[in-house]
Amino acid sequence: MNLSIREAGAHEADKINALYRRCGYSGSVAPKDVVLLAEIDRQPVGAVRLCKEDGINVLRGLYILPAYYRKGIGSKLLQHCEMLMQTGIFFCLPYAQLAEFYQRAGFAQIPEQELPRMLQARLAAYRSKGLNAIAMRRPVRRING
């Protein structure tokens, strides 16, 4: 498996949005998002976005094509996010069953009341659709090297 992870260019938004649709995700890339793209033999297999929304840092849209589950691609995408997430506190709203996965990247589950208001509303919207999402926060964490 010839895996590479790189920061995607703004001109690649359509490619990433197409990947998201193949993964069953309805979110899409915004012009200011920082997107990390996982590719195998130059074919997109996963992506994650670091977004700034209303001044709040949010990790969103970490999706891997199902054929590539359990191959460490999601973990490698999160590892590549580490340097970029040193800039401040980050929030994410993952599925509850992924809590341990995000904890390995420094996120901790928090009461939803500790989310910024716009993320409280987003979490409520996810739950109203039947999604078992949780609130997580990653404090500023400097890494060496």
Side-chain angles (χ1 to χ4, degrees):
M1 181 169 75
N2 186 18
L3 176 69
S4 65
I5 296 178
R6 64 179 176 81
E7 191 171 324
H11 65 284
E12 296 179 283
D14 289 343
K15 177 195 319 189
I16 295 155
N17 290 335
L19 169 72
Y20 278 157
R21 296 306 157 269
R22 290 179 62 203
C23 293
Y25 177 55
S26 62
S28 59
V29 176
K32 292 184 179 181
D33 292 350
V34 173
V35 181
L36 295 178
L37 182 62
E39 296 173 306
I40 294 178
D41 299 323
R42 301 174 84 125
Q43 296 301 309
V45 297
V48 62
R49 300 184 346 257
L50 297 171
C51 311
K52 191 153 207 117
E53 302 172 8
D54 297 335
I56 298 160
N57 295 315
V58 186
L59 184 137
R60 299 191 71 183
L62 196 160
Y63 280 85
I64 309 298
L65 287 174
Y68 296 94
Y69 284 178
R70 304 230 178 262
K71 298 190 185 305
I73 296 169
S75 294
K76 287 185 172 107
L77 279 168
L78 271 183
Q79 286 171 2
H80 278 77
C81 289
E82 286 281 328
M83 292 298 289
L84 301 170
M85 290 192 298
Q86 289 188 61
T87 59
I89 296 168
F90 274 78
F91 294 91
C92 68
L93 305 175
Y95 298 117
Q97 68 267 25
L98 296 174
E100 196 173 297
F101 172 76
Y102 285 95
Q103 286 169 353
R104 289 192 298 263
F107 284 91
Q109 190 168 349
I110 59 171
E112 61 190 80
Q113 299 81 359
E114 292 183 22
L115 286 171
R117 286 206 192 284
M118 68 96 165
L119 289 177
Q120 287 180 27
R122 184 176 296 159
L123 181 61
Y126 289 165
R127 289 178 174 165
S128 74
K129 295 176 186 174
L131 301 176
N132 186 18
I134 59 173
M136 298 190 86
R137 176 178 54 216
R138 183 185 185 278
V140 175
R141 228 173 79 169
R142 306 271 183 232
I143 60 174
N144 297 325

